[in-house]
C-alpha cells in the first residue's frame, strides 16, 4: 500500500484508498477538467471536495501541495519511478495523465505539440478571459459603474470564441477527428460561459454554429457528464 504520509494535505483530507490517485478539487471549469480526464482514461481515483467558499485552498495543508492556492491538485501514488508524486495546475495534470496512460494525446510529435498548444490557449486566454467576464457580468463586478472592463472582457471572449469557431471548421474536435485533452481543457469553460455565467447573449453565442455543436458533442460523452459533478458538492 502506498505511503502518502509525506504529504501534509493527507492530514486534512485522509486517503481512504491511498493506492488510488488523490484528487483535490471542486466542480468548477478548472476542477472538472481533471475529473473528466480521470473518468475518460479509467484510472482509479479518490476525489476530495475542497470548499473554496470557505477558503480551504488557503489553508497550510492545501498550500503544501498547491502553493498557488487554486484547484485542482493531485497526488499520484504511482508517480514517476513508482514514487508518490504531487502535481498542481490543471493543464499540467492533463498532460501528465495523458502521458502516463498514452491516452487522449497524439503520439505523433507534431500533432502532440499542436494539441498542447490548444491546452495552453485555454490556460492563457480562454480561462482568464471567460473568468473575468463572469466576474463583471454575474458577480460583484456588476456593481462597478464603469462598464469598460465588462466591454473589454466581452469583446475578447467573443474574439476567442471566434478563434474556436474557425478552428472547428470541418472538425468534430479541436484536433480534427480525435477527441483529446485540448477538448477536455475547453469544454467546462465554454459550458460555464453560457450556463453558469449566463453570458451567452452577451457574447452572441447563438450566432456561432460550430462551437455550439462541438459543445453538444462533448457534453454527450458519458465521462464528461460524470466528471462535471465530481467531486460531489456537500448536500
Amino acid at each position: 500500500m502506498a505511503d502518502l504520509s509525506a504529504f501534509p494535505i493527507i492530514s486534512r483530507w485522509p486517503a481512504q484508498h491511498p493506492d488510488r490517485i488523490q484528487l483535490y478539487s471542486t466542480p468548477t471549469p478548472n476542477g472538472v477538467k481533471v475529473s473528466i480526464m480521470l473518468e475518460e482514461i479509467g484510472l482509479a481515483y479518490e476525489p476530495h471536495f475542497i470548499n473554496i467558499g470557505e477558503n480551504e485552498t488557503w489553508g497550510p495543508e492545501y498550500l503544501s501541495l498547491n502553493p498557488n492556492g487554486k484547484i485542482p491538485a493531485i497526488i499520484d501514488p504511482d508517480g514517476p519511478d513508482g514514487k508518490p508524486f504531487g502535481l498542481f495546475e490543471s493543464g499540467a495534470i492533463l498532460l501528465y495523465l495523458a502521458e502516463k496512460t498514452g491516452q487522449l494525446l497524439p503520439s505523433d510529435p507534431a500533432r502532440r505539440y499542436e494539441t498542447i498548444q490548444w491546452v495552453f490557449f485555454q490556460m492563457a486566454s480562454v480561462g482568464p478571459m471567460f473568468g473575468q467576464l463572469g466576474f463583471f457580468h454575474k458577480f460583484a463586478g456588476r456593481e462597478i459603474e464603469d462598464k469598460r472592463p465588462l466591454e473589454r472582457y466581452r469583446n475578447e471572449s467573443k474574439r476567442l470564441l471566434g478563434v474556436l469557431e474557425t478552428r472547428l471548421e470541418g472538425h468534430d474536435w479541436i484536433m480534427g477527428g480525435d477527441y483529446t485533452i485540448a477538448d477536455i481543457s475547453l469544454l467546462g469553460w465554454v459550458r460555464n460561459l453560457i450556463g453558469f455565467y449566463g453570458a451567452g447573449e452577451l457574447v452572441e453565442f447563438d450566432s456561432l454554429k460550430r462551437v455550439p455543436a462541438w459543445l453538444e458533442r462533448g457534453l454527450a460523452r458519458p465521462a464528461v457528464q460524470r466528471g462535471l459533478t465530481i467531486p460531489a458538492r456537500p448536500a
Side-chain angles (χ1 to χ4, degrees):
M1 182 172 292
D3 181 8
L4 305 181
S5 60
F7 295 89
I9 197 171
I10 295 297
S11 66
R12 175 66 177 82
W13 290 279
Q16 301 301 314
H17 304 281
D19 289 329
R20 302 178 185 178
I21 289 175
Q22 303 296 303
L23 170 64
Y24 306 91
S25 189
T26 302
T28 62
N30 280 333
V32 300
K33 288 183 220 171
V34 177
S35 55
I36 289 171
M37 180 68 176
L38 287 165
E39 288 292 319
E40 291 280 10
I41 62 181
L43 286 180
Y45 69 102
E46 180 179 351
H48 302 273
F49 178 79
I50 308 300
N51 194 327
I52 59 178
E54 296 186 4
N55 294 321
E56 289 185 339
T57 57
W58 301 113
E61 298 90 354
Y62 189 83
L63 289 172
S64 68
L65 180 60
N66 183 353
N68 192 32
K70 305 294 184 180
I71 54 94
I74 66 168
I75 298 174
D76 182 0
D78 182 27
D81 299 322
K83 300 177 182 179
F85 176 63
L87 195 63
F88 68 95
E89 293 297 340
S90 57
I93 296 172
L94 290 183
L95 181 58
Y96 170 75
L97 293 173
E99 292 188 329
K100 177 182 176 74
T101 61
Q103 298 184 56
L104 302 175
L105 182 66
S107 58
D108 174 75
R111 286 184 57 77
R112 177 178 179 272
Y113 282 111
E114 189 179 359
T115 304
I116 293 171
Q117 83 175 346
W118 286 103
V119 175
F120 286 7
F121 170 75
Q122 181 276 303
M123 295 175 65
S125 299
V126 169
M129 289 300 113
F130 287 11
Q132 289 297 323
L133 180 61
F135 173 76
F136 284 102
H137 180 64
K138 181 180 176 67
F139 296 113
R142 298 184 67 176
E143 301 172 3
I144 298 175
E145 293 184 8
D146 186 347
K147 298 305 178 186
R148 285 176 295 180
L150 172 63
E151 293 173 2
R152 183 259 193 271
Y153 291 117
R154 178 196 63 197
N155 292 340
E156 182 64 2
S157 294
K158 287 175 64 177
R159 186 190 70 80
L160 294 172
L161 287 169
V163 172
L164 291 176
E165 183 79 357
T166 299
R167 174 64 181 179
L168 288 165
E169 182 176 5
H171 291 177
D172 283 342
W173 305 108
I174 297 298
M175 288 301 297
D178 298 324
Y179 173 82
T180 67
I181 58 173
D183 300 286
I184 294 174
S185 72
L186 286 157
L187 280 167
W189 277 109
V190 177
R191 173 179 176 265
N192 244 42
L193 180 69
I194 63 172
F196 182 69
Y197 292 154
E201 184 175 353
L202 191 67
V203 297
E204 301 176 2
F205 190 78
D206 289 344
S207 69
L208 304 173
K209 295 181 179 179
R210 303 177 195 115
V211 174
W214 162 84
L215 179 62
E216 184 176 354
R217 280 191 293 273
L219 294 178
R221 295 179 67 88
V224 173
Q225 282 298 309
R226 293 192 300 270
L228 288 172
T229 58
I230 298 172
R233 297 180 183 274

